[in-house]
Amino acid sequence: MTFSLRFRAAIVSVLIFLAFVGVWHIATRGTGAVAAMTPEYAKLMGLTATQGKSAMPGPLDVGAKLWEHLKRPFYDNGPNDKGLGIQLGYSIARVGLGYFLAVIVAIPLGFLIGMSPLINKALDPFIQILKPISPLAWMPLALYTIKDSGLSAIFVIFICSVWPMLLNTAFGVSAVRKEWINVARTLEVGAVRRAFTIILPAAAPTILTGMRISIGIAWLVIVAAEMLVGGTGIGYFVWNEWNNLSIVNVIIAILVIGVVGMLLDQILARFTRLVTFPE
Amino acid sequence: MSMTGKFISIEAIAKRYPGATGSEIAVFEDLWLSMARGEFACVIGHSGCGKTTVLNILAGLDTPSAGTVIVDGQAISGTSLDRAVIFQSHALLPWRTVLGNVSYAVTSKWRHWDRAQVKAHAQKFIDLVGLTGAEHKRPSELSGGMKQRVGIARALSITPKIMLMDEPFSALDALTRGTLQDEVRRICRDTGQTAFMITHDVDEAIYLADRIFLMTNGPGAVLAEIVENPLPKDRGRIDLHRHPHYYALRNHIIDFLVMRSKTFTSTAVDYDPRNVPAVRIGKPELMIASVSDASRDESNQASWPGLSRPSTS
């Protein structure tokens, strides 16, 4: 009896996961009491020194803490102790806002670049120079001019997600098949209607691919940006827990960042599938 | 043909491209061509002779370097809903259904029609090309022949004055091509459509066209001859090749394509682009079949004058 490829792959995935967790568990297992010391001294030294407990948390520690977080995602005990849900909410809101602004700018501008060879050539040197700049390099300038750390983070998201969308839109628009344009021309379709009924649907898969790359980059950058600006967000949470020496929370944050990044990517992938047409 | 009989008149058009050394290369120069209303014309010539350029100029998709095109008494400028194009590659919008593709054309022509009107009108033309039942399929779900049917329905749905066809059936298999030729012929005859078609297929031209324009090789292509189709208007595909003039006509065209299309411009002494010779097969005084072939074929000919077996196919 043979199972479907999907089912067999799922089994292998589970096995890999179990193996990883098993190795992790064994590697971080305590080694038993290592040294005898006076109780006062032992208190100072902590469990690592007295009972040979690994400094790196094991899967059970992380699992227990994660369960705690999941039970109370939205608690708020002041600036340095907020629930994981609240921190993620801040990050997602920043990414959403910066990304939304980037969409508003990049898609119309990309249309213009794709339609006009003149503008394409004229803007090309600027885009080529601005594109490779690390988004975080803008941070000081943003802080200085905007004078608000929250808005600066949004600006950094904007600037990092604008390029893939801009270039993909321009490429998608300029690569629309000549014959489709000719169909519109022979039907005397006006410029605006042509843009919305021919160019937009024809370029939509390419544009959405750019948007998908952008959301991935934005989610990468927000963690670093929030480490810099501080205050709230999942990036701040990671750095704060590092300062607290809570490796358990750092690991949980890493896990959660991965899961949210995957969800954002999947949402965009679904939109891409919606606008993709078979030829 | 009298001046008033000219529904389409191509007058002294040229198309030149900048050459490598700063000079200009002319695909064709001083081309004159006219068609009557309701006429079906085919252009035959080798690749690179500028057939497609002529069609694109007629469609308004391309502009001539010199000369004008007059349709129905008016010089054309740009594209028009009066001149529908059936593209070789069918050029359907893949994100729209069959109905969506035809409706797109319908709404382009009648912008204020409501949804029901557009749908009813589009449906009429989908039915006409035999695609009833496939309205909601996307182009990717259709065979090549069905796609081209949609292209034909889209072109007809705007009730154009002229249909321009750029090798519409060349990408189809022989059987499908035959059926679609039948349908295009039926539709054009029923609606009195004026049609201008580019083809590589001699039999297609003989079956469909009232007149066949023969073009020489480019660059510097000229319209060498206008062959008038001697076959009866109500010809059928089945017995086309049994008509007494069929082989003479076919051989004349093939001889032109094989030999004279290369040498015509250097050998024709008093060629006048405004007065291209009209060839009527079957009238011996106007036969321009190559002499050597004619004398050789004399021996194995049947009873009809000007008839010979196909030397090429």
Side-chain angles (χ1 to χ4, degrees), chain B residues 63-291:
Chain B
T63 46
S65 311
T68 44
V69 175
I70 293 165
V71 171
D72 209 6
Q74 278 206 314
I76 63 163
S77 62
T79 56
S80 162
L81 283 158
D82 288 339
R83 283 167 273 133
V85 181
I86 297 176
F87 298 88
Q88 181 179 9
S89 55
H90 57 73
L92 299 180
L93 307 177
W95 54 88
R96 285 174 174 266
T97 60
V98 169
L99 185 64
N101 268 283
V102 180
S103 298
Y104 186 70
V106 175
T107 44
S108 299
K109 171 129 186 183
W110 295 282
R111 284 160 210 215
H112 305 296
W113 278 14
D114 61 40
R115 204 177 268 265
Q117 259 176 312
V118 169
K119 189 169 182 281
H121 186 84
Q123 186 67 51
K124 198 167 86 189
F125 287 89
I126 291 170
D127 297 344
L128 184 73
V129 297
L131 281 180
T132 316
E135 296 86 353
H136 301 293
K137 287 196 169 148
R138 287 183 192 273
S140 58
E141 302 169 83
L142 304 178
S143 67
M146 288 168 91
K147 283 182 198 165
Q148 199 50 285
R149 280 169 197 264
V150 182
I152 295 167
R154 178 173 65 185
L156 288 169
S157 70
I158 56 171
T159 59
K161 290 181 184 166
I162 302 168
M163 292 243 284
L164 303 168
M165 296 175 257
D166 186 0
E167 300 185 39
F169 311 133
S170 63
L172 306 177
D173 64 275
L175 265 175
T176 315
R177 192 186 310 149
T179 333
L180 280 186
Q181 283 165 357
D182 289 343
E183 303 220 350
V184 161
R185 187 170 153 74
R186 172 178 61 83
I187 291 165
C188 284
R189 292 201 66 193
D190 290 355
T191 57
Q193 192 60 244
T194 310
F196 182 88
M197 181 194 268
I198 290 172
T199 179
H200 272 123
D201 183 340
V202 176
D203 284 318
E204 181 168 276
I206 293 173
Y207 180 48
L208 293 175
D210 300 316
R211 289 195 302 155
I212 300 159
F213 298 114
L214 300 181
M215 282 183 79
T216 64
N217 292 6
V222 299
L223 175 58
E225 280 175 8
I226 300 166
V227 180
E228 294 185 3
N229 195 335
L231 305 188
K233 275 268 179 199
D234 59 345
R235 53 188 174 264
R237 163 186 311 287
I238 315 283
D239 55 355
L240 194 67
H241 60 289
R242 295 188 199 284
H243 190 274
H245 294 325
Y246 172 77
Y247 279 116
L249 177 63
R250 192 170 191 277
N251 288 353
H252 181 80
I253 296 170
I254 286 172
D255 284 343
F256 176 83
L257 287 176
V258 173
M259 294 180 295
R260 296 199 302 123
S261 62
K262 287 193 266 300
T263 55
F264 182 86
T265 33
S266 54
T267 52
V269 277
D270 52 352
Y271 175 74
D272 175 8
R274 294 195 67 167
N275 226 333
V276 176
V279 177
R280 293 178 190 85
I281 305 288
K283 300 191 176 171
E285 72 273 16
L286 281 166
M287 280 289 298
I288 316 186
S290 55
V291 181

Side-chain angles (χ1 to χ4, degrees), chain A residues 125-161:
Chain A
F126 300 104
I127 294 172
Q128 294 305 331
I129 290 175
L130 292 174
K131 187 177 59 140
I133 297 172
S134 165
L136 292 174
W138 292 99
M139 187 61 96
L141 203 60
L143 288 169
Y144 181 68
T145 46
I146 303 173
K147 296 185 176 67
D148 181 291
S149 63
L151 287 180
S152 296
I154 291 166
F155 171 77
V156 166
I157 293 305
F158 164 80
I159 205 82
C160 76
S161 44

Side-chain angles (χ1 to χ4, degrees), chain A residues 50-82:
Chain A
T50 52
Q51 291 177 16
K53 187 174 171 18
S54 170
M56 181 61 97
L60 294 175
D61 305 320
V62 172
K65 191 73 184 170
L66 182 62
W67 180 240
E68 235 175 81
H69 278 297
L70 290 178
K71 273 196 299 192
R72 290 178 63 221
F74 298 111
Y75 73 89
D76 187 353
N77 297 341
N80 276 340
D81 191 9
K82 293 185 204 299

